[in-house]
Amino acid sequence: MTVPSMRLDGKVAIVTGAGSGIGQAIATAAAEAGADCVVTELPDRIGRLDEVCATIAEMGRRGIGLPLQLPDMDSMDSLVAKTIERMGRVDILVNNAGINIPMDALEFTEEAWDAVLDINLKGLFFLSQRVAKEMVAQGEGGKIVNIASQNGVVGYYKRAAYCSSKAGVVNLTRVLAIEWAKHKINVNAVGPTFILTPLTQSTFDDPVIREDLLRRIPLGRVGRPEDVVGAVVFLASPAADLVTGHTLLVDGGWTAL
Ligand SMILES: NC(=O)c1ccc[n+]([C@@H]2O[C@H](COP(=O)([O-])OP(=O)(O)OC[C@H]3O[C@@H](n4cnc5c(N)ncnc54)[C@H](O)[C@@H]3O)[C@@H](O)[C@H]2O)c1
């Protein structure tokens, strides 16, 4: 028996929100596994992609930075069109871009609710739809990996909108998996626990919250972006050809407790 490959050689991957944190680590890992990468950032943060594109180039892969403003439909159309124009194809989409606006449920504003749901769920869906259309046209299948969260399956304080958006991503992943299976497009999600990134730094700086988080993680530590990349590369690779509709939790045991 041959062990199935986790290599991504010859593939073109789009990784959204790759200028920092988990997205940057995923793009670097995808390139290390052999993929050429289109990495995205908000238009006013596009300079943050210089470092990750340089790292990808050092690995002998192509790395192209493009702007993306979710959930703007024109921005998504432009990203997909430029990807095809410059890379010729797209095989992998990692929907990583996302935000959290922590707020007590009794105080939550409509503006904050809409912002979180629009970026984390609506944007993720419509970008997936656009990329899937290209994959269907190419006729060779594809892999979509959604960065959900453990907060897609359990709740946490001050996260009414965030947990709702990530639970939506978990179930949307199942719907897209069954609808697009006939096109050999696998759709899966990864659900990380708390990972130390710019998104979560202020949360970790609060000693009370920090202690609460660590108490809930049987493996006894919070995550690093590098902890997430193995699951993503696996789900994007031929080793996961028969895996679809699944959310792989990278949670240190939080949801097992
Ligand atoms: N850090 C954690 O503890 C943790 C845990 C579970 C899941 N996640 C998820 O992982 C993903 C990455 O989080 P991170 O911690 O690396 O955060 P981060 O803030 O470092 O990165 C988020 C990225 O998304 C981009 N982005 C924000 N709004 C956008 C928009 N409207 N359109 C396009 N791009 C936009 C940001 O510019 C940034 O590049 C998110 O989906 C997040 O929900 C994070």
Side-chain angles (χ1 to χ4, degrees), residues 17-23 41-42 45 68-70 96-99 119 147-149 162 166 192-195 197-200:
S20 70
I22 296 170
E41 250 312 339
L42 287 165
R45 299 183 189 170
L68 174 67
Q69 173 100 46
L70 296 171
N96 167 78
I99 64 164
I119 294 170
I147 306 305
S149 169
Y162 185 77
K166 295 300 186 177
T193 187
F194 279 80
I195 307 290
T197 70
L199 185 80
T200 53

Side-chain angles (χ1 to χ4, degrees), residues 47-48 51 72 213 228:
R48 292 190 187 178
E51 188 184 325
D72 183 273
L213 296 179
V228 180

Side-chain angles (χ1 to χ4, degrees), residues 163-245:
C163 290
S164 301
S165 73
K166 295 300 186 177
V169 170
V170 168
N171 215 23
L172 176 62
T173 296
R174 297 188 183 104
V175 175
L176 301 183
I178 58 175
E179 283 207 24
W180 296 343
K182 62 177 176 284
H183 301 296
K184 302 271 182 289
I185 299 171
N186 301 50
V187 186
N188 290 290
V190 172
T193 187
F194 279 80
I195 307 290
L196 197 52
T197 70
L199 185 80
T200 53
Q201 185 66 58
S202 60
T203 307
F204 281 124
D205 290 343
D206 181 327
V208 177
I209 297 180
R210 193 181 174 88
E211 194 190 325
D212 180 56
L213 296 179
L214 290 174
R215 191 176 53 76
R216 292 166 187 269
I217 301 174
L219 283 177
R221 67 172 176 85
V222 296
R224 301 175 296 258
E226 310 86 86
D227 289 309
V228 180
V229 304
V232 177
V233 171
F234 163 64
L235 290 171
S237 78
D241 276 352
L242 200 60
V243 182
T244 200

Side-chain angles (χ1 to χ4, degrees), residues 15 17-20 24 38-54 64-69 75 79 82 86:
V15 182
S20 70
Q24 186 173 28
V38 171
V39 287
T40 82
E41 250 312 339
L42 287 165
D44 62 350
R45 299 183 189 170
I46 199 82
R48 292 190 187 178
L49 295 173
D50 292 349
E51 188 184 325
V52 67
C53 285
I64 297 173
L66 292 174
L68 174 67
Q69 173 100 46
S75 174
L79 170 68
K82 283 184 183 148
R86 297 182 60 181

Side-chain angles (χ1 to χ4, degrees), residues 18 24 27 55 101 181 189 247:
Q24 186 173 28
T55 307
I101 304 177
T247 294

Side-chain angles (χ1 to χ4, degrees), residues 19 91 134 140 151:
D91 305 286
E134 290 298 332
E140 294 172 33
N151 288 141

